[in-house]
Amino acid sequence: MTELLNHSFTHFTLNSIKPKFNRGFETRKSISRTVHCVLTEDKKVSVVKNGKDSLEICRVVNGMWQTSGGWGKIDRDNAIDAMLKYADAGFSTFDMADIYGPAEDLYGIFINRVRRERPPEFLENVKGLTKWVPPPVKMTSSYVRKNIDISRKRMDVASLDMLQFHWWDYSNNGYLDALKHLTDLKDEGKIKTVALTNFDTERLQIILENGIPIVSNQVQHSLVDMRPQQKMAELCQLTGVKLITYGTVMGGLLSEKFLDTNLSIPFAGPPLNTPSLQKYKRMVDAWGGWSLFQALLKTLNQVALKHGVTIPTVAVKFVLDQPSVAGSMVGVRLGLSEHIKDCSAVFSLKLDEEDVSSIREVISKGKDLMRVIGDCGDEYRRA
C-alpha cells in the first residue's frame, strides 16, 4: 500500500512470524470469477474490471506518499507542474491516500488545471487512486460516507476512480461492514471501483466470498519481497483480482546509487536519509543481508547495461512481468526530482530468459519472507 504506513514497519526477529493462512481454497467455487485485467497491445495500460466496474490505469503508477513529509519540502506550485509533466508524458495515474499529508488536495488542484488547460480526451486518461485508512472503530454507513465525501471534496471529483481500503486489526471484522458500505457508495456513483491495500490472502478470500466486488489489492512487491507470488498470486489467478505493487524499487535501494557500497562502515555509503530507505534496508537485512543484496545489484546492473537501461527500470519490469500484477508504483518527489525517462524505458524493455534466470538465481538465495514476516500486509499487524 503505502510508504507512509511503511514507517510503522518495525524490527522483528527472524522466523518469529509464521504464515497464518491455512484454510486452503475449499470454497473457491463460491468466488466470483468475473474480475480480470486486459492489457492493451502496447502494455502501457491495464484495464482492471469486475462486472460493470472498469478502470484503465497506467501500468507504472505515480506514488504520492512522498508528499507526506520526510522526503524533502514540497512546493505546491512546483508539485502541480510536475504532476502535469508526468501526465503529459503518459504517466497519468496517481496513487495517494487520506493520510498522505496534502496529496489529495494537490490532486484536486492538479485535476482542475487539467480541466482548464488540457482537452477532454486528456482528462479521461487521468486517474486518481486513493486510500482510506480508518481507525478500527464501528463502521456505520454514515461514518463511511462522511469520510469518502471528505476525499471526494479534497480531490474535487464527483466520483473517486478507485478507493483502496486498509484495515489495521483483523480481529475486528468491521472491515466487512466498511466494504459493504463502500460498495453501496459505488452503486450510488460516488466510487467507481472498490479495492484493497495490504490485505492478506485469507481475508481477501473472505471478502470475495461476501460478494464484495474487489478489483485489486495493493501490496509490497519487489525482487527482495516476492511474497505476493505465493498464496496471494494463487488466489488472484483463480479470481482475477489484480495486484498493484509498491516498494518495487525499495525506496531507491534498487539503484546504481547503492551498487558497490558498504553500509557497515560509517559515512562510507549513501545516507539512508528517507523513511523508505530505512524501511527497506530492514527488509534487506531480513531477506539476506547487504552482501547478498550487493550480488543482486551487480546482477541487475549487468542486465541493465546489456539493455541500455537502469537498475530501477529492470527492477520494475521484472515485477510487472509477474502473474496478476496490473501496475507498479514508482514514488514521485514532485518538484524535487523525476523518473520519467526510467519509467518510459520500462515499456520498451523486454527481459529475455537469460536475464530472468540470472535474476532468479540470486533472489533464490535469500530467505523466504513469507516465513520471516508472514503473508502480504502482515508487517503492519504484528504484536
Side-chain angles (χ1 to χ4, degrees):
M1 157 192 174
T2 139
E3 295 293 333
L4 189 58
L5 288 181
N6 285 347
H7 303 176
S8 67
F9 182 89
T10 55
H11 295 280
F12 50 84
T13 302
L14 298 184
N15 298 319
S16 63
I17 305 298
K18 301 298 182 184
K20 298 178 181 179
F21 185 76
N22 57 12
R23 296 176 68 235
F25 297 145
E26 67 277 6
T27 54
R28 288 175 173 175
K29 293 183 180 179
S30 66
I31 300 175
S32 169
R33 304 191 183 198
T34 59
V35 186
H36 63 282
C37 177
V38 179
L39 298 184
T40 63
E41 290 182 2
D42 61 8
K43 303 290 180 70
K44 291 184 179 180
V45 299
S46 59
V47 179
V48 182
K49 188 175 182 180
N50 184 327
K52 295 181 179 179
D53 304 338
S54 178
L55 190 72
E56 181 179 278
I57 63 171
C58 180
R59 297 203 74 207
V60 175
V61 179
N62 304 315
M64 294 180 64
W65 57 82
Q66 296 179 357
T67 63
S68 61
W71 288 267
K73 185 176 180 180
I74 300 292
D75 176 83
R76 188 189 73 174
D77 292 339
N78 289 341
I80 302 305
D81 288 342
M83 293 175 75
L84 282 167
K85 189 172 182 179
Y86 273 96
D88 286 338
F91 299 99
S92 55
T93 301
F94 296 84
D95 178 89
M96 65 212 84
D98 61 335
I99 60 171
Y100 290 177
E104 290 185 332
D105 302 298
L106 288 173
Y107 184 85
I109 299 170
F110 158 73
I111 202 68
N112 271 299
R113 278 197 60 183
V114 171
R115 289 166 181 152
R116 294 193 308 269
E117 301 174 13
R118 301 293 187 275
E121 58 269 22
F122 186 97
L123 176 62
E124 291 176 5
N125 292 326
V126 176
K127 302 297 189 305
L129 322 181
T130 194
K131 307 179 195 74
W132 182 37
V133 188
V137 298
K138 187 174 179 59
M139 293 288 114
T140 63
S141 176
S142 59
Y143 181 80
V144 174
R145 182 181 298 271
K146 174 184 175 182
N147 281 276
I148 297 310
D149 282 346
I150 291 173
S151 288
R152 290 171 58 235
K153 182 177 180 180
R154 292 180 68 190
M155 295 173 67
D156 200 9
V157 293
S159 180
L160 300 176
D161 291 320
M162 177 184 287
L163 191 285
Q164 301 164 104
F165 178 70
H166 176 83
W167 191 250
W168 293 106
D169 182 10
Y170 290 147
S171 66
N172 178 346
N173 64 4
Y175 66 88
L176 289 173
D177 295 326
L179 286 164
K180 289 174 182 176
H181 295 318
L182 289 172
T183 302
D184 290 339
L185 291 173
K186 178 187 69 68
D187 293 340
E188 292 178 21
K190 294 190 173 184
I191 300 171
K192 294 177 183 175
T193 54
V194 177
L196 303 173
T197 182
N198 283 324
F199 271 79
D200 66 8
T201 312
E202 181 178 1
R203 254 53 63 160
L204 174 57
Q205 181 176 356
I206 290 171
I207 290 165
L208 293 172
E209 289 170 353
N210 275 267
I212 308 298
I214 298 300
V215 297
S216 64
N217 186 20
Q218 188 178 135
V219 294
Q220 180 175 295
H221 193 351
S222 68
L223 288 162
V224 167
D225 188 358
M226 295 291 288
R227 287 177 297 159
Q229 290 307 315
Q230 298 187 46
K231 293 175 180 177
M232 182 63 67
E234 182 181 355
L235 182 59
C236 285
Q237 290 179 64
L238 174 73
T239 62
V241 171
K242 294 297 169 180
L243 300 176
I244 296 175
T245 73
Y246 67 88
T248 308
V249 296
M250 303 188 71
L253 284 181
L254 284 169
S255 69
E256 286 79 1
K257 182 178 181 179
F258 288 90
L259 178 65
D260 295 325
T261 61
N262 185 353
L263 296 188
S264 65
I265 303 175
F267 309 109
L272 302 177
N273 56 0
T274 70
S276 296
L277 286 171
Q278 295 160 18
K279 189 265 186 182
Y280 290 115
K281 172 56 166 59
R282 293 193 289 271
M283 292 295 299
V284 168
D285 294 340
W287 172 69
W290 196 248
S291 178
L292 181 58
F293 187 69
Q294 282 298 309
L296 175 59
L297 285 179
K298 288 177 182 177
T299 298
L300 294 176
N301 190 50
Q302 291 171 355
V303 174
L305 290 173
K306 170 183 170 181
H307 294 282
V309 296
T310 64
I311 288 175
T313 297
V314 175
V316 172
K317 179 61 174 177
F318 187 94
V319 170
L320 279 176
D321 286 346
Q322 299 308 301
S324 298
V325 175
S328 291
M329 284 197 293
V330 176
V332 287
R333 301 175 72 175
L334 297 171
L336 299 177
S337 63
E338 69 172 52
H339 311 289
I340 292 176
K341 183 178 179 180
D342 284 347
C343 290
S344 297
V346 169
F347 298 120
S348 58
L349 174 61
K350 291 186 179 4
L351 298 175
D352 59 35
E353 291 184 10
E354 181 184 20
D355 301 330
V356 173
S357 177
S358 64
I359 293 171
R360 287 197 179 277
E361 182 180 355
V362 180
I363 63 178
S364 67
K365 297 176 182 178
K367 293 183 176 70
D368 179 1
L369 291 184
M370 180 75 85
R371 294 184 177 276
V372 177
I373 304 172
D375 201 359
C376 299
D378 280 358
E379 58 268 36
Y380 303 110
R381 300 180 179 91
R382 293 190 310 276

